[in-house]
Amino acid sequence: MPHDRHRPVTLQEVAAAVGVSAKTVSNAFSRPDQLSAALRERILATARRLGYPGPNPLAAGLRRGRVGAIGVAYDNGLSYAFDDPVAVALLAGVASAAEPAGSGLLLVPGSSDPARRLAAVSDAVVDGLVVSSVGDDDPLLAAAIVRGLPLVVVDQPRPDRLAALGAPGTPWVGVDDRAAAAAVAGHLLDLGHRRLAVVSFGMHRDPITPGLVDERAQAAATYAVTRDRLAGYRDAARRAGLDWAGVPVFHGGDSTPEVGEVGADAVLATDPRPTALLCLSDRLAEGALQAAARLGLRVPGDLSVAGFDDAATAPGLGLTTVRQPTREKGRAAGQALLDLLAARPAPAPRSLPAELVVRTSTGPPA
Amino acid sequence: MPHDRHRPVTLQEVAAAVGVSAKTVSNAFSRPDQLSAALRERILATARRLGYPGPNPLAAGLRRGRVGAIGVAYDNGLSYAFDDPVAVALLAGVASAAEPAGSGLLLVPGSSDPARRLAAVSDAVVDGLVVSSVGDDDPLLAAAIVRGLPLVVVDQPRPDRLAALGAPGTPWVGVDDRAAAAAVAGHLLDLGHRRLAVVSFGMHRDPITPGLVDERAQAAATYAVTRDRLAGYRDAARRAGLDWAGVPVFHGGDSTPEVGEVGADAVLATDPRPTALLCLSDRLAEGALQAAARLGLRVPGDLSVAGFDDAATAPGLGLTTVRQPTREKGRAAGQALLDLLAARPAPAPRSLPAELVVRTSTGPPA
DNA sequence: ACCCGCTTCTTCATCGATGAAGCACGCGAG
DNA sequence: CTCGCGTGCTTCATCGATGAAGAAGCGGGT
């Protein structure tokens, strides 16, 4: 009797050892009500003795068509996601929906190699997917759509774009970025600022050379979030009678303090110097505050700085910003996916409320 | 030709449509070098036309014996994990190892129902497991062990306990909690403190009534981390000639600021009032600082407070603490697991370095 | 003319379980 | 005595792919 040292014991082998059918062993583990308590005990004892690890979840999943996990794919991959508190909050929200349902959360790995990035989505062993914040033309989303699994999209692309991609009716959760952005910009304009500047994160997935971008480029952003926030700022500016073309808009790569600092430097070097900075995220704003400090500009005396998100760090920085219910967004997305999986009616795309939070980083211009 | 609206197209069907064998279609997707480019194109085109979602990763995983994901099971479940910055840092570390390897990260859901909590481990569709910080007798670990998958343990149980559980040689990553705890305590004693008190998180998985605990109870903790940190404090106290029995040790449930605040209140109510608080985590210390502020005690003038972990919040709080390389711990654990999966030599259990970080929350007693 | 080796595709068995349906038995009701 | 039904277990087919081994065609070396 050759003994493979490492091949795990199978259900069949337990069945043979006990002298019952495989199905009965299966039932002993998965449907205790289907056999007598005595036999079940005998089976479990034998299973223990043989070192049977329990029904292989992979095989069971194949047969059942369910694996008890939902996937989350994030534009920038895991390393970045864990560095950004807002991304973490979103994950926390999804988890808070998945956990009570007994569902695992599979974080889909990213990659700098486009093919591997897509393969990770194609190969994810999950019952459904949450795709968070990808560009309008990102093949990642296409890869998620072809899988034909229940799908929920967070933030971007927008519902109209999802329909165009052949996935109409896909549940979507986000906020009205344009209106929210207009609200912060309006706040600064109301304070009397007339020389605004913007520090933005990426407009496209592909790496770019950071720098100032004109209105045409702004409107061409494939990141709908970027596009809409910029549009919101512009709406407010126009409403206040400002010439948007005169507002310097810097755009860099990721949403990090480093990019924010570089961006602030860039726009503060324009003449006349802006009196207020609109940053597309709190992390960018954090960098902008550092730049201001380094340049010896007092905030808000010499320079007002506003962010976006209301990240956990914002209160500590005294940052004026827009609160998005990030965690709730994740929860809603996770719940929507679970609803789809349970064949419950899928919720319609919905924007969660965002609200202006005024703190100490903004004030009237000097 | 009946048309199941929702059953996905299978590889067999694509094969039939093209007029080739199933294996060839499989190769078209997974091993492009195994067939002519022309045929491959034809197959992919047909697949697209039929709406074939690509090889079912579940079925492929079953056949290959690999699913491309590693699992992480955490003592307290996901919701708690995402609330604790230290737990998030650990996850970030694991992710930073998994991602470059193209491996997904499955977060195993927790549950208040013990059976479901274990089932989540048994049913996790993964190639290997990281079990983080569970009690010495936690059946969760037993469930992980019986699965027979490559396994790595973080923090606790300790390697000797793992051997006793029938899993000797299991890679383990953690820090020398006892020595590290002795270092912080020694720091306070060196400053001249003679009236110490301790605020601890749980000693067992089961919920307890918070309160002061004696030395016997301390040594009986099934959380090795708790046990060893307390032992480390005691080592230092004894070395300084202090009677450990006279040191009030509060222990509550989770590692949260709320518990820390309650704990600080409790030990500060003892007479004579302690001049220094040793907290088993920075989150507990955060609560202790709040309690101190509420009681009108100046830190460190009236009360010194020390934490453990060096969480991201610690610098901002000016908290004296012990730095554990949490992220690196996660990375090492993830890497060890990937090594096991690749049949590379598994690293021996190792303690990563921890070091005392003195900030402004500690000073000489009044 | 023959053998070799490469490319390209096929055949066969198998990964490890579970749903659906079926059979045998015992028991209570009519 | 017989029918009906619930309990307890089995049989059969199937979930959707891939590894190993093999066969056909083809060009090149001798």
Side-chain angles (χ1 to χ4, degrees):
Chain A
M1 167 164 135
H3 180 110
D4 279 271
R5 193 135 176 45
H6 286 305
R7 192 181 50 79
V9 179
T10 72
L11 190 144
Q12 323 284 338
E13 292 167 327
V14 176
V18 181
V20 296
S21 76
K23 181 73 230 228
T24 299
V25 177
S26 169
N27 284 337
F29 283 92
S30 317
R31 323 252 320 238
D33 56 315
Q34 296 295 299
L35 73 175
S36 67
L39 178 55
R40 178 169 133 94
E41 242 347 290
R42 199 148 61 84
I43 290 174
L44 295 183
T46 308
R48 256 193 308 276
R49 181 166 53 76
L50 297 181
Y52 176 61
N56 179 328
L58 193 49
L62 174 60
R63 184 65 247 233
R64 286 203 252 253
R66 277 284 165 117
V67 294
I70 62 179
V72 182
Y74 186 74
D75 185 41
N76 280 309
L78 302 186
S79 324
Y80 179 86
F82 275 111
D83 279 333
D84 186 340
V86 175
V88 171
L90 186 85
L91 286 178
V94 180
S96 74
E99 185 157 52
S103 184
L105 205 61
L106 180 80
L107 309 184
V108 176
S111 173
S112 50
D113 172 4
R116 297 188 63 186
R117 180 165 172 269
L118 298 188
V121 170
S122 306
D123 296 346
V125 177
V126 293
D127 297 328
L129 283 166
V130 173
V131 170
S132 175
S133 219
V134 304
D136 282 355
D137 55 358
D138 196 326
L140 181 80
L141 180 58
I145 292 173
V146 284
R147 288 224 31 198
L149 297 176
L151 175 68
V152 173
V153 172
V154 175
D155 282 339
Q156 53 184 5
R158 310 302 194 188
D160 54 347
R161 176 71 192 158
L162 291 172
L165 286 168
T170 299
W172 176 91
V173 188
V175 301
D176 185 340
D177 284 288
R178 186 162 182 165
V184 222
H187 161 68
L188 288 168
L189 292 160
D190 288 349
L191 285 171
H193 292 274
R194 282 299 169 270
R195 298 202 304 274
L196 303 181
V198 175
V199 178
S200 171
F201 43 58
M203 308 201 310
H204 309 280
R205 195 179 145 64
D206 306 315
I208 43 85
T209 50
L212 301 184
V213 287
D214 64 17
E215 188 168 350
R216 170 195 294 274
Q218 292 164 29
T222 51
Y223 281 141
V225 164
T226 309
R227 202 170 60 224
D228 285 355
R229 289 189 192 169
L230 293 176
Y233 294 152
R234 193 187 59 207
D235 291 345
R238 291 222 173 117
R239 234 174 349 243
L242 234 65
D243 175 22
W244 182 250
V247 175
V249 175
F250 172 93
H251 105 290
D254 291 333
S255 173
T256 63
E258 292 73 32
V259 169
E261 194 167 352
V262 171
D265 280 339
V267 295
L268 289 173
T270 59
D271 185 41
R273 198 179 68 204
T275 60
L277 255 46
L278 289 159
C279 302
L280 265 80
S281 75
D282 288 354
R283 297 193 88 206
L284 289 171
E286 193 179 331
L289 289 174
Q290 282 164 19
R294 178 166 38 72
L295 296 172
L297 297 173
R298 280 165 316 164
V299 173
D302 302 319
L303 181 71
S304 284
V305 175
F308 203 108
D309 290 335
D310 197 30
T313 45
L317 297 168
L319 193 63
T320 290
T321 187
V322 176
R323 170 172 311 141
Q324 329 193 37
T326 308
R327 191 175 177 125
E328 172 59 19
K329 216 160 60 176
R331 207 206 51 74
Q335 191 56 56
L337 189 52
L338 293 168
D339 286 345
L340 283 177
L341 284 170
R344 287 187 289 262
R350 68 195 178 108
S351 285
L352 301 182
E355 70 177 309
L356 179 65
V357 179
V358 177
R359 296 203 179 89
T360 56
S361 69
T362 52
Chain B
M1 170 162 134
H3 181 112
D4 278 271
R5 195 136 177 43
H6 286 305
R7 193 181 50 79
V9 179
T10 72
L11 189 146
Q12 323 284 340
E13 293 167 328
V14 176
V18 182
V20 296
S21 76
K23 182 72 231 226
T24 299
V25 177
S26 169
N27 284 336
F29 282 93
S30 316
R31 324 252 321 240
D33 57 315
Q34 296 295 301
L35 74 176
S36 67
L39 179 55
R40 179 169 132 93
E41 241 348 290
R42 199 149 61 84
I43 290 174
L44 295 184
T46 309
R48 256 193 307 277
R49 181 166 54 77
L50 296 181
Y52 175 60
N56 180 328
L58 193 49
L62 174 60
R63 183 64 245 230
R64 287 203 252 254
R66 278 285 164 117
V67 294
I70 62 180
V72 181
Y74 186 74
D75 185 41
N76 280 308
L78 302 185
S79 324
Y80 178 86
F82 275 111
D83 279 333
D84 186 341
V86 175
V88 170
L90 187 84
L91 286 179
V94 180
S96 74
E99 186 157 51
S103 186
L105 205 61
L106 180 79
L107 309 183
V108 176
S111 174
S112 50
D113 172 3
R116 297 188 64 187
R117 180 165 172 271
L118 298 188
V121 171
S122 306
D123 296 347
V125 177
V126 293
D127 297 327
L129 283 167
V130 173
V131 170
S132 176
S133 220
V134 304
D136 283 354
D137 55 357
D138 195 326
L140 181 79
L141 181 57
I145 292 173
V146 284
R147 289 223 31 197
L149 297 176
L151 174 67
V152 173
V153 171
V154 175
D155 282 339
Q156 53 184 6
R158 309 303 194 187
D160 54 347
R161 176 72 193 157
L162 291 171
L165 284 168
T170 299
W172 176 92
V173 188
V175 300
D176 185 340
D177 284 287
R178 185 161 182 167
V184 223
H187 160 68
L188 288 168
L189 292 161
D190 287 348
L191 285 170
H193 291 275
R194 282 298 170 271
R195 298 203 302 275
L196 303 180
V198 175
V199 178
S200 172
F201 43 58
M203 308 201 313
H204 309 279
R205 196 182 142 62
D206 307 314
I208 42 84
T209 50
L212 301 183
V213 287
D214 64 17
E215 190 169 350
R216 171 195 294 273
Q218 293 164 28
T222 51
Y223 281 142
V225 165
T226 310
R227 203 170 59 225
D228 286 356
R229 290 189 192 169
L230 293 176
Y233 294 152
R234 193 189 58 207
D235 291 344
R238 292 223 173 118
R239 240 183 333 252
L242 234 65
D243 174 24
W244 183 251
V247 175
V249 174
F250 172 92
H251 105 291
D254 292 333
S255 173
T256 63
E258 292 72 32
V259 169
E261 195 167 351
V262 171
D265 280 340
V267 295
L268 289 174
T270 59
D271 185 41
R273 199 179 69 205
T275 60
L277 255 47
L278 288 159
C279 303
L280 265 80
S281 75
D282 288 354
R283 297 193 86 207
L284 289 171
E286 192 179 331
L289 290 173
Q290 283 163 18
R294 178 167 38 72
L295 296 173
L297 297 173
R298 281 165 317 162
V299 173
D302 302 320
L303 181 71
S304 284
V305 175
F308 203 110
D309 289 338
D310 196 30
T313 45
L317 297 169
L319 192 63
T320 291
T321 187
V322 176
R323 171 172 310 141
Q324 313 198 48
T326 308
R327 192 176 177 124
E328 172 57 18
K329 215 160 61 176
R331 207 204 52 73
Q335 191 55 55
L337 189 52
L338 293 168
D339 285 345
L340 283 178
L341 284 170
R344 287 186 290 261
R350 69 196 178 106
S351 285
L352 301 182
E355 68 177 311
L356 179 65
V357 179
V358 178
R359 296 204 179 89
T360 56
S361 69
T362 51

